[in-house]
Amino acid sequence: MEAVVVDAGSKLLKAGFAVPDQPPSMVIPTQMKQVPEEKSLADASLLENVTVDPVVRGFIRDWDAMEDLLTHVLYTGLGWEIGNEGQILFTDPLSTPKAVREQLVQMMFEKFNISGFYASEQAVLSLYAVGRISGCTVDIGHGKMDIASVIEGAVQHISSKRFEIGGLDLTNLFAQELHKSNPLANFSFSDVEKLKERYACCAEDDAAYEKFQQACPEEQHTLPDGQVIKIGKERYTIGEALFQPSILGLETHGIVEQLVRCIATVSSENHRQLLENTVLCGGSASMTGFEDRFQKEASLSSSAIRPCLVKPPEYMPDNLSKYSAWVGGAILAKVVFPQNQHVTKADYDESGPSVVHRKCF
């Protein structure tokens, strides 16, 4: 049985057996609805809209909910049998606390009785997915944005940075902008998410963005409940916020300048190797026009060596940027488990949860 690879984000959980040239077989919402234990109608109506988020800003926060979610994924979704559990590889976000890594390996061995465990950082895996072992990743997830530099398969933490800003914040911004132009409309969060996925895009540069703010063609859109709204310049504001964070009320540099500044802290002999192998990943990176805008901003960068994007190999699945950490995990699983580089049950029984720091790096 192939190892299972799990990439649990704040919005979506990607899981499947390690087949690198295919997308994950399960892509499901991480958020869960609370269900009453007793089937009483009174409880059911009270809990109808109560949701639980096992993963917040990239890190697991609710371990009981995560256990329930993984039980569904592994046994119902992927067909594991109790008493015959296999091996599993998890992707780690940048700067995952040691305690979170330990609690995860503990849960997997003690609650799920797995036969083998491995975890690797998302930045390293996203580079593996495009055939690189050194480079930079700009990962814009739902709850966080990570900029990481990787040399020979190892994250350089001194020149990597985590930002608590992501697709969630862009959705909230979109909601605010839509309310300004549609003051009488009522939007649910899921309405705005779907509108963002359909309409959000990046202007080709800041001059084009300013032009759209002055005059922009409007489209009408009918919400599921029949309300008709208009969408115009708001669609460009979301992408622009990544290049002009002041739109979100943040006093910080845009995404390309942040990348250049992170790499500036590494030895200059590595700058070319890192910047010329830049990978964009995460859901927001697939926004229409984002890649072109990133390239344009990179060409205007103050850096002597300018960031250059790596194109994924043709045999890789479409929308690789959304699944790159998972795909890289599938590639790595084909190496670490057959070569016995993973944490075994015997390792765990001998050393306890801290073994994860020694064997998974």
Side-chain angles (χ1 to χ4, degrees):
M1 183 165 63
E2 294 281 4
V4 167
V5 179
V6 176
D7 179 19
S10 312
K11 182 184 177 187
L12 296 173
L13 180 141
K14 285 77 74 180
F17 292 104
V19 183
D21 57 354
Q22 293 177 15
S25 56
M26 289 185 78
V27 180
I28 61 172
T30 308
Q31 189 179 71
M32 301 157 73
K33 281 199 170 173
Q34 201 159 327
V35 178
E37 287 182 25
E38 299 298 323
K39 292 281 181 270
S40 89
L41 289 173
D43 283 352
S45 61
L46 280 172
L47 290 172
E48 194 173 346
N49 293 315
V50 177
T51 56
V52 179
D53 289 298
V55 180
V56 176
R57 298 281 182 195
F59 298 143
I60 300 170
R61 290 284 160 84
D62 187 327
W63 288 93
D64 291 338
M66 194 64 189
E67 187 182 334
D68 290 344
L69 183 59
L70 288 171
T71 298
H72 167 73
V73 167
L74 297 171
Y75 297 106
T76 308
L78 297 177
W80 271 12
E81 294 172 358
I82 292 174
N84 189 31
E85 289 83 358
Q87 300 165 324
I88 195 162
L89 182 148
F90 280 86
T91 73
D92 273 344
L94 187 69
S95 308
T96 299
K98 282 188 170 184
V100 170
R101 298 186 90 205
E102 289 180 14
Q103 199 160 345
L104 180 61
V105 74
Q106 181 175 5
M107 178 172 75
M108 296 317 297
F109 277 113
E110 296 185 9
K111 298 288 175 78
F112 289 87
N113 197 33
I114 58 167
S115 58
F117 177 95
Y118 202 80
S120 185
E121 294 198 74
Q122 290 168 355
V124 174
L125 299 178
S126 292
L127 283 163
Y128 286 168
V130 295
R132 301 290 193 278
I133 58 170
S134 298
C136 300
T137 60
V138 179
D139 185 345
I140 314 164
H142 182 65
K144 49 82 186 173
M145 180 171 80
D146 294 336
I147 294 178
S149 59
V150 178
I151 297 174
E152 300 290 323
V155 173
Q156 308 300 298
H157 286 277
I158 195 166
S159 59
S160 301
K161 199 169 180 183
R162 169 188 162 92
F163 303 85
E164 297 231 335
I165 167 183
L168 169 66
D169 306 282
L170 298 179
T171 302
N172 288 333
L173 172 67
F174 196 30
Q176 290 167 23
E177 295 297 311
L178 286 171
H179 275 300
K180 287 178 191 173
S181 49
N182 300 273
L184 299 177
N186 290 312
F187 305 96
S188 69
F189 187 80
S190 67
D191 284 341
V192 181
E193 281 269 76
K194 286 173 186 150
L195 290 169
K196 183 184 81 171
E197 284 167 20
R198 178 169 173 179
Y199 290 104
C201 52
C202 278
E204 63 180 68
D205 55 30
D206 54 2
Y209 171 71
E210 292 303 332
K211 196 170 154 188
F212 285 129
Q213 292 305 291
Q214 304 307 318
C216 183
E218 290 184 341
E219 286 186 50
Q220 285 200 332
H221 179 91
T222 306
L223 295 172
D225 62 2
Q227 296 179 88
V228 178
I229 61 166
K230 58 182 193 288
I231 299 174
K233 61 183 182 181
E234 304 85 4
R235 62 193 303 185
Y236 291 99
T237 306
I238 308 159
E240 195 66 25
L242 294 168
F243 298 95
Q244 295 190 53
S246 57
I247 292 170
L248 284 163
L250 300 172
E251 291 184 21
T252 185
H253 297 283
I255 193 166
V256 174
E257 186 62 21
Q258 291 284 9
L259 170 62
V260 168
R261 283 168 177 258
C262 284
I263 301 312
T265 61
V266 183
S267 166
S268 59
E269 67 199 37
N270 292 312
H271 286 186
R272 184 176 298 280
Q273 179 185 31
L274 293 171
L275 287 170
E276 291 187 353
N277 291 290
T278 297
V279 173
L280 300 178
C281 40
S284 297
S286 57
M287 191 188 311
T288 304
F290 177 74
E291 192 175 305
D292 291 341
R293 175 65 182 276
F294 189 95
Q295 285 275 39
K296 184 155 192 180
E297 295 283 334
S299 71
L300 302 169
S301 163
S302 58
S303 169
I305 300 162
R306 297 191 171 119
C308 187
L309 298 181
V310 177
K311 293 286 183 194
E314 287 179 8
Y315 55 81
M316 280 302 181
D318 291 338
N319 286 333
L320 181 66
S321 65
K322 289 185 178 180
Y323 313 125
S324 56
W326 186 90
V327 169
I331 293 167
L332 184 60
K334 294 281 196 187
V335 177
V336 292
F337 292 113
Q339 294 186 5
N340 291 320
Q341 295 169 4
H342 59 285
V343 180
T344 63
K345 183 80 170 73
D347 292 332
Y348 179 78
D349 289 342
E350 183 183 328
S351 305
S354 64
V355 71
V356 71
H357 309 306
R358 194 174 78 244
K359 295 210 77 168
C360 307
F361 47 82

PDB file of all heavy atoms in Angstrom, residues 317-338:
ATOM      1  N   PRO A 317       0.312  17.745 -12.690  1.00  0.00           N
ATOM      2  CA  PRO A 317      -1.110  18.070 -12.800  1.00  0.00           C
ATOM      3  C   PRO A 317      -1.354  19.561 -13.039  1.00  0.00           C
ATOM      4  O   PRO A 317      -0.534  20.398 -12.660  1.00  0.00           O
ATOM      5  CB  PRO A 317      -1.687  17.640 -11.448  1.00  0.00           C
ATOM      6  CG  PRO A 317      -0.566  17.204 -10.592  1.00  0.00           C
ATOM      7  CD  PRO A 317       0.677  17.156 -11.412  1.00  0.00           C
ATOM      8  N   ASP A 318      -2.494  19.873 -13.682  1.00  0.00           N
ATOM      9  CA  ASP A 318      -2.897  21.272 -13.841  1.00  0.00           C
ATOM     10  C   ASP A 318      -3.106  21.891 -12.467  1.00  0.00           C
ATOM     11  O   ASP A 318      -3.353  21.187 -11.489  1.00  0.00           O
ATOM     12  CB  ASP A 318      -4.213  21.351 -14.631  1.00  0.00           C
ATOM     13  CG  ASP A 318      -4.008  20.950 -16.087  1.00  0.00           C
ATOM     14  OD1 ASP A 318      -2.857  21.037 -16.551  1.00  0.00           O
ATOM     15  OD2 ASP A 318      -4.984  20.537 -16.733  1.00  0.00           O
ATOM     16  N   ASN A 319      -3.050  23.215 -12.402  1.00  0.00           N
ATOM     17  CA  ASN A 319      -3.222  23.913 -11.119  1.00  0.00           C
ATOM     18  C   ASN A 319      -2.208  23.457 -10.076  1.00  0.00           C
ATOM     19  O   ASN A 319      -2.534  23.349  -8.898  1.00  0.00           O
ATOM     20  CB  ASN A 319      -4.644  23.707 -10.546  1.00  0.00           C
ATOM     21  CG  ASN A 319      -5.663  24.519 -11.312  1.00  0.00           C
ATOM     22  OD1 ASN A 319      -5.324  25.552 -11.878  1.00  0.00           O
ATOM     23  ND2 ASN A 319      -6.890  24.053 -11.342  1.00  0.00           N
ATOM     24  N   LEU A 320      -0.980  23.159 -10.522  1.00  0.00           N
ATOM     25  CA  LEU A 320       0.035  22.643  -9.594  1.00  0.00           C
ATOM     26  C   LEU A 320       0.247  23.593  -8.420  1.00  0.00           C
ATOM     27  O   LEU A 320       0.496  23.151  -7.296  1.00  0.00           O
ATOM     28  CB  LEU A 320       1.362  22.394 -10.325  1.00  0.00           C
ATOM     29  CG  LEU A 320       2.490  21.834  -9.451  1.00  0.00           C
ATOM     30  CD1 LEU A 320       2.155  20.432  -8.963  1.00  0.00           C
ATOM     31  CD2 LEU A 320       3.814  21.802 -10.208  1.00  0.00           C
ATOM     32  N   SER A 321       0.140  24.926  -8.652  1.00  0.00           N
ATOM     33  CA  SER A 321       0.414  25.875  -7.570  1.00  0.00           C
ATOM     34  C   SER A 321      -0.495  25.637  -6.367  1.00  0.00           C
ATOM     35  O   SER A 321      -0.106  25.869  -5.229  1.00  0.00           O
ATOM     36  CB  SER A 321       0.253  27.324  -8.057  1.00  0.00           C
ATOM     37  OG  SER A 321      -1.090  27.585  -8.408  1.00  0.00           O
ATOM     38  N   LYS A 322      -1.712  25.122  -6.607  1.00  0.00           N
ATOM     39  CA  LYS A 322      -2.638  24.863  -5.492  1.00  0.00           C
ATOM     40  C   LYS A 322      -2.237  23.632  -4.690  1.00  0.00           C
ATOM     41  O   LYS A 322      -2.580  23.509  -3.521  1.00  0.00           O
ATOM     42  CB  LYS A 322      -4.065  24.655  -6.031  1.00  0.00           C
ATOM     43  CG  LYS A 322      -4.719  25.912  -6.570  1.00  0.00           C
ATOM     44  CD  LYS A 322      -6.156  25.612  -6.963  1.00  0.00           C
ATOM     45  CE  LYS A 322      -6.849  26.872  -7.468  1.00  0.00           C
ATOM     46  NZ  LYS A 322      -8.244  26.605  -7.850  1.00  0.00           N
ATOM     47  N   TYR A 323      -1.550  22.691  -5.374  1.00  0.00           N
ATOM     48  CA  TYR A 323      -1.249  21.404  -4.734  1.00  0.00           C
ATOM     49  C   TYR A 323       0.243  21.122  -4.634  1.00  0.00           C
ATOM     50  O   TYR A 323       0.641  19.995  -4.356  1.00  0.00           O
ATOM     51  CB  TYR A 323      -1.870  20.247  -5.540  1.00  0.00           C
ATOM     52  CG  TYR A 323      -3.304  20.444  -5.940  1.00  0.00           C
ATOM     53  CD1 TYR A 323      -3.708  20.349  -7.266  1.00  0.00           C
ATOM     54  CD2 TYR A 323      -4.275  20.721  -4.977  1.00  0.00           C
ATOM     55  CE1 TYR A 323      -5.032  20.522  -7.638  1.00  0.00           C
ATOM     56  CE2 TYR A 323      -5.601  20.905  -5.340  1.00  0.00           C
ATOM     57  CZ  TYR A 323      -5.975  20.803  -6.666  1.00  0.00           C
ATOM     58  OH  TYR A 323      -7.291  20.979  -7.021  1.00  0.00           O
ATOM     59  N   SER A 324       1.103  22.131  -4.868  1.00  0.00           N
ATOM     60  CA  SER A 324       2.530  21.835  -5.034  1.00  0.00           C
ATOM     61  C   SER A 324       3.151  21.168  -3.803  1.00  0.00           C
ATOM     62  O   SER A 324       3.963  20.254  -3.949  1.00  0.00           O
ATOM     63  CB  SER A 324       3.306  23.095  -5.418  1.00  0.00           C
ATOM     64  OG  SER A 324       3.104  24.116  -4.471  1.00  0.00           O
ATOM     65  N   ALA A 325       2.758  21.596  -2.598  1.00  0.00           N
ATOM     66  CA  ALA A 325       3.332  20.966  -1.399  1.00  0.00           C
ATOM     67  C   ALA A 325       2.906  19.494  -1.321  1.00  0.00           C
ATOM     68  O   ALA A 325       3.707  18.616  -0.975  1.00  0.00           O
ATOM     69  CB  ALA A 325       2.912  21.717  -0.140  1.00  0.00           C
ATOM     70  N   TRP A 326       1.641  19.225  -1.677  1.00  0.00           N
ATOM     71  CA  TRP A 326       1.170  17.830  -1.656  1.00  0.00           C
ATOM     72  C   TRP A 326       1.936  16.991  -2.679  1.00  0.00           C
ATOM     73  O   TRP A 326       2.385  15.882  -2.383  1.00  0.00           O
ATOM     74  CB  TRP A 326      -0.338  17.765  -1.927  1.00  0.00           C
ATOM     75  CG  TRP A 326      -0.854  16.368  -1.769  1.00  0.00           C
ATOM     76  CD1 TRP A 326      -1.340  15.785  -0.632  1.00  0.00           C
ATOM     77  CD2 TRP A 326      -0.844  15.331  -2.768  1.00  0.00           C
ATOM     78  NE1 TRP A 326      -1.639  14.466  -0.865  1.00  0.00           N
ATOM     79  CE2 TRP A 326      -1.342  14.151  -2.169  1.00  0.00           C
ATOM     80  CE3 TRP A 326      -0.460  15.290  -4.112  1.00  0.00           C
ATOM     81  CZ2 TRP A 326      -1.480  12.954  -2.851  1.00  0.00           C
ATOM     82  CZ3 TRP A 326      -0.581  14.076  -4.808  1.00  0.00           C
ATOM     83  CH2 TRP A 326      -1.091  12.929  -4.183  1.00  0.00           C
ATOM     84  N   VAL A 327       2.090  17.514  -3.901  1.00  0.00           N
ATOM     85  CA  VAL A 327       2.798  16.780  -4.958  1.00  0.00           C
ATOM     86  C   VAL A 327       4.248  16.516  -4.546  1.00  0.00           C
ATOM     87  O   VAL A 327       4.769  15.405  -4.711  1.00  0.00           O
ATOM     88  CB  VAL A 327       2.738  17.556  -6.294  1.00  0.00           C
ATOM     89  CG1 VAL A 327       3.680  16.952  -7.330  1.00  0.00           C
ATOM     90  CG2 VAL A 327       1.302  17.578  -6.830  1.00  0.00           C
ATOM     91  N   GLY A 328       4.895  17.533  -3.967  1.00  0.00           N
ATOM     92  CA  GLY A 328       6.265  17.341  -3.469  1.00  0.00           C
ATOM     93  C   GLY A 328       6.319  16.295  -2.371  1.00  0.00           C
ATOM     94  O   GLY A 328       7.275  15.498  -2.286  1.00  0.00           O
ATOM     95  N   GLY A 329       5.287  16.271  -1.540  1.00  0.00           N
ATOM     96  CA  GLY A 329       5.199  15.250  -0.481  1.00  0.00           C
ATOM     97  C   GLY A 329       5.088  13.854  -1.072  1.00  0.00           C
ATOM     98  O   GLY A 329       5.684  12.893  -0.563  1.00  0.00           O
ATOM     99  N   ALA A 330       4.329  13.735  -2.169  1.00  0.00           N
ATOM    100  CA  ALA A 330       4.183  12.433  -2.830  1.00  0.00           C
ATOM    101  C   ALA A 330       5.526  11.976  -3.413  1.00  0.00           C
ATOM    102  O   ALA A 330       5.874  10.791  -3.366  1.00  0.00           O
ATOM    103  CB  ALA A 330       3.119  12.522  -3.923  1.00  0.00           C
ATOM    104  N   ILE A 331       6.289  12.931  -3.958  1.00  0.00           N
ATOM    105  CA  ILE A 331       7.629  12.609  -4.495  1.00  0.00           C
ATOM    106  C   ILE A 331       8.540  12.142  -3.362  1.00  0.00           C
ATOM    107  O   ILE A 331       9.232  11.123  -3.471  1.00  0.00           O
ATOM    108  CB  ILE A 331       8.228  13.839  -5.215  1.00  0.00           C
ATOM    109  CG1 ILE A 331       7.430  14.167  -6.482  1.00  0.00           C
ATOM    110  CG2 ILE A 331       9.705  13.619  -5.542  1.00  0.00           C
ATOM    111  CD1 ILE A 331       7.745  15.520  -7.095  1.00  0.00           C
ATOM    112  N   LEU A 332       8.539  12.886  -2.252  1.00  0.00           N
ATOM    113  CA  LEU A 332       9.421  12.549  -1.127  1.00  0.00           C
ATOM    114  C   LEU A 332       9.026  11.220  -0.472  1.00  0.00           C
ATOM    115  O   LEU A 332       9.889  10.436  -0.069  1.00  0.00           O
ATOM    116  CB  LEU A 332       9.383  13.680  -0.091  1.00  0.00           C
ATOM    117  CG  LEU A 332      10.321  13.525   1.104  1.00  0.00           C
ATOM    118  CD1 LEU A 332      11.782  13.453   0.652  1.00  0.00           C
ATOM    119  CD2 LEU A 332      10.143  14.672   2.095  1.00  0.00           C
ATOM    120  N   ALA A 333       7.720  10.958  -0.400  1.00  0.00           N
ATOM    121  CA  ALA A 333       7.254   9.705   0.214  1.00  0.00           C
ATOM    122  C   ALA A 333       7.803   8.490  -0.522  1.00  0.00           C
ATOM    123  O   ALA A 333       8.045   7.434   0.080  1.00  0.00           O
ATOM    124  CB  ALA A 333       5.724   9.670   0.232  1.00  0.00           C
ATOM    125  N   LYS A 334       8.021   8.653  -1.843  1.00  0.00           N
ATOM    126  CA  LYS A 334       8.560   7.545  -2.648  1.00  0.00           C
ATOM    127  C   LYS A 334      10.029   7.253  -2.312  1.00  0.00           C
ATOM    128  O   LYS A 334      10.579   6.243  -2.747  1.00  0.00           O
ATOM    129  CB  LYS A 334       8.471   7.907  -4.143  1.00  0.00           C
ATOM    130  CG  LYS A 334       7.056   8.028  -4.670  1.00  0.00           C
ATOM    131  CD  LYS A 334       6.490   6.665  -4.937  1.00  0.00           C
ATOM    132  CE  LYS A 334       5.258   6.714  -5.814  1.00  0.00           C
ATOM    133  NZ  LYS A 334       4.650   5.391  -5.914  1.00  0.00           N
ATOM    134  N   VAL A 335      10.646   8.190  -1.575  1.00  0.00           N
ATOM    135  CA  VAL A 335      12.061   8.026  -1.208  1.00  0.00           C
ATOM    136  C   VAL A 335      12.197   7.639   0.262  1.00  0.00           C
ATOM    137  O   VAL A 335      12.836   6.639   0.594  1.00  0.00           O
ATOM    138  CB  VAL A 335      12.852   9.335  -1.473  1.00  0.00           C
ATOM    139  CG1 VAL A 335      14.293   9.188  -1.024  1.00  0.00           C
ATOM    140  CG2 VAL A 335      12.778   9.709  -2.945  1.00  0.00           C
ATOM    141  N   VAL A 336      11.581   8.415   1.160  1.00  0.00           N
ATOM    142  CA  VAL A 336      11.870   8.235   2.596  1.00  0.00           C
ATOM    143  C   VAL A 336      11.340   6.914   3.161  1.00  0.00           C
ATOM    144  O   VAL A 336      12.001   6.306   3.999  1.00  0.00           O
ATOM    145  CB  VAL A 336      11.351   9.408   3.464  1.00  0.00           C
ATOM    146  CG1 VAL A 336      12.115  10.666   3.185  1.00  0.00           C
ATOM    147  CG2 VAL A 336       9.862   9.614   3.337  1.00  0.00           C
ATOM    148  N   PHE A 337      10.177   6.470   2.678  1.00  0.00           N
ATOM    149  CA  PHE A 337       9.627   5.230   3.255  1.00  0.00           C
ATOM    150  C   PHE A 337      10.353   3.976   2.741  1.00  0.00           C
ATOM    151  O   PHE A 337      10.794   3.157   3.556  1.00  0.00           O
ATOM    152  CB  PHE A 337       8.113   5.156   3.033  1.00  0.00           C
ATOM    153  CG  PHE A 337       7.355   6.200   3.835  1.00  0.00           C
ATOM    154  CD1 PHE A 337       6.689   7.237   3.200  1.00  0.00           C
ATOM    155  CD2 PHE A 337       7.333   6.157   5.224  1.00  0.00           C
ATOM    156  CE1 PHE A 337       6.011   8.214   3.935  1.00  0.00           C
ATOM    157  CE2 PHE A 337       6.658   7.123   5.971  1.00  0.00           C
ATOM    158  CZ  PHE A 337       5.999   8.152   5.321  1.00  0.00           C
ATOM    159  N   PRO A 338      10.572   3.836   1.421  1.00  0.00           N
ATOM    160  CA  PRO A 338      11.322   2.652   0.967  1.00  0.00           C
ATOM    161  C   PRO A 338      12.749   2.601   1.513  1.00  0.00           C
ATOM    162  O   PRO A 338      13.295   1.521   1.732  1.00  0.00           O
ATOM    163  CB  PRO A 338      11.344   2.805  -0.564  1.00  0.00           C
ATOM    164  CG  PRO A 338      10.173   3.680  -0.877  1.00  0.00           C
ATOM    165  CD  PRO A 338      10.044   4.618   0.289  1.00  0.00           C
TER     166      PRO A 338
END
